[in-house]
Amino acid sequence: MEKGELITKDHIVDDLMRMGVTKGMTLIVHSSLKSLGRVIGGPVSVILALEEAVGKEGNIVMPTQTEHLCDPTEYDSGYTDEELELIRENMPIFHPDLTPTSYMGFIPETFRKQDGVKRSPHPHTSFAAWGKDAPYLTQEHGLDFSMNEHSPLGKLYERGSYILLLGAPTNSNTSLHLAEYRQNNTFMKEKIWDVKVKKGDKGVWTTYRDINNESDDFDRLFDDFHRETPHVKESMVGEAKSYLIPMRPMVDYAVCWMDKNRK
């Protein structure tokens, strides 16, 4: 496909199938709409192509995280003490059907709104899912340790899902966070997060326990996995270099990699 050519939904379906996506697959998708090129219909066409590629027996899952609902003191915001207090008092709680994503991109932000898509209830690290198993994948998502084996990520791992990096950078692979909970070393420290939740008719601030997840080395981890294993399928989807990876082998590899490389 020449650079600059208009890309249709059918082009994307063909490219996905050529890469190895098959009917019945469960995919956790990370995407960059801009990288795909001039897609007619934009994110809608990409989403419909993904769903057509896996079919009614498959599932599409995307992270729909909401960093903007974190306590405003969590990041170097530059707010005054008075502004911080005002923000905390007026911060809305998480609404699965309403709350937008944070820095996730056009495709997941569009996907979460689609009729029939389910979204997990975690106020900071939710996932949205479409397909026959969407309710199972999203219906339970506890506050504590929000991307461990009991989260949607853990369910995806157990069912032999695939990771699809659709023009997305290799350090955006959310599935690798699952490995962080399984590390044997002490790199990951426990962290207390503030979160606003519904209590009666009001929103109140409370806390939950987690680890301080880190993704700065995910690109190096990916490069080593790609070089040392035969599991990564690399292909072009539209104009974007993309990767299809079985989740379980990569997460298992990542646990050992993290134990060796994180100090």
Side-chain angles (χ1 to χ4, degrees):
M1 181 177 293
E2 295 182 2
K3 186 174 179 62
E5 181 179 345
L6 289 171
I7 299 163
T8 68
K9 174 181 71 69
D10 289 344
H11 284 147
I12 297 172
V13 173
D14 290 344
D15 288 346
L16 290 170
M17 295 175 67
R18 189 178 303 110
M19 172 184 274
V21 175
T22 59
K23 300 292 185 183
M25 265 189 179
T26 296
L27 300 177
I28 176 168
V29 180
H30 302 271
S31 57
S32 167
L33 180 61
K34 181 179 179 181
S35 297
L36 291 169
R38 299 168 64 200
V39 179
I40 300 172
V44 173
S45 292
V46 177
I47 292 163
L48 293 176
L50 288 165
E51 294 170 356
E52 182 176 328
V54 301
K56 294 181 179 179
E57 295 301 307
N59 301 282
I60 300 296
V61 179
M62 299 187 195
T64 51
Q65 298 175 6
T66 48
E67 182 180 305
H68 61 282
L69 294 186
C70 291
D71 182 275
T73 62
E74 187 62 42
Y75 306 101
D76 186 15
S77 59
Y79 292 116
T80 66
D81 289 344
E82 292 78 10
E83 288 172 331
L84 290 171
E85 182 177 355
L86 186 64
I87 291 170
R88 281 178 60 89
E89 288 178 358
N90 292 276
M91 179 81 75
I93 64 168
F94 174 71
H95 297 274
D97 63 337
L98 178 63
T99 304
T101 59
S102 299
Y103 315 117
M104 296 283 102
F106 288 112
I107 293 172
E109 175 58 19
T110 303
F111 177 71
R112 71 161 185 92
K113 304 173 187 176
Q114 184 182 10
D115 188 32
V117 168
K118 307 296 183 183
R119 192 177 186 186
S120 69
H122 198 280
H124 289 164
T125 60
S126 65
F127 292 80
W130 171 95
K132 71 182 186 74
D133 299 318
Y136 163 74
L137 292 169
T138 58
Q139 65 190 359
E140 295 179 4
H141 194 172
L143 272 179
D144 292 332
F145 305 106
S146 64
M147 289 186 282
N148 69 3
E149 63 270 18
H150 302 297
S151 72
L153 283 182
K155 295 175 183 178
L156 289 166
Y157 175 92
E158 290 300 329
R159 69 181 299 108
S161 305
Y162 283 75
I163 300 160
L164 177 61
L165 301 179
L166 197 60
T170 57
N171 65 358
S172 66
N173 188 354
T174 301
S175 297
L176 295 180
H177 288 306
L178 181 61
E180 293 182 308
Y181 296 88
R182 303 177 178 182
Q183 290 177 231
N184 292 321
N185 65 34
T186 58
F187 180 87
M188 301 309 299
K189 303 297 185 181
E190 189 168 313
K191 178 178 173 61
I192 303 298
W193 291 88
D194 284 6
V195 64
K196 199 170 190 179
V197 298
K198 187 175 183 179
K199 186 174 182 180
D201 295 330
K202 297 181 179 180
V204 298
W205 285 93
T206 186
T207 60
Y208 69 92
R209 300 165 61 206
D210 214 319
I211 58 176
N212 194 10
N213 300 102
E214 178 60 72
S215 60
D216 285 352
D217 56 3
F218 281 5
D219 50 354
R220 292 195 296 118
L221 196 164
F222 173 88
D223 290 343
D224 288 349
F225 181 78
H226 195 356
R227 184 177 62 254
E228 296 175 11
T229 79
H231 295 301
V232 179
K233 293 183 178 180
E234 179 180 330
S235 186
M236 297 297 290
V237 178
E239 295 179 0
K241 182 184 291 186
S242 301
Y243 304 95
L244 181 67
I245 312 154
M247 180 179 181
R248 187 176 296 180
M250 189 170 203
V251 170
D252 292 347
Y253 175 93
V255 175
C256 297
W257 190 95
M258 290 173 182
D259 283 338
K260 178 181 178 181
N261 291 280
R262 289 183 167 186
K263 307 297 181 183

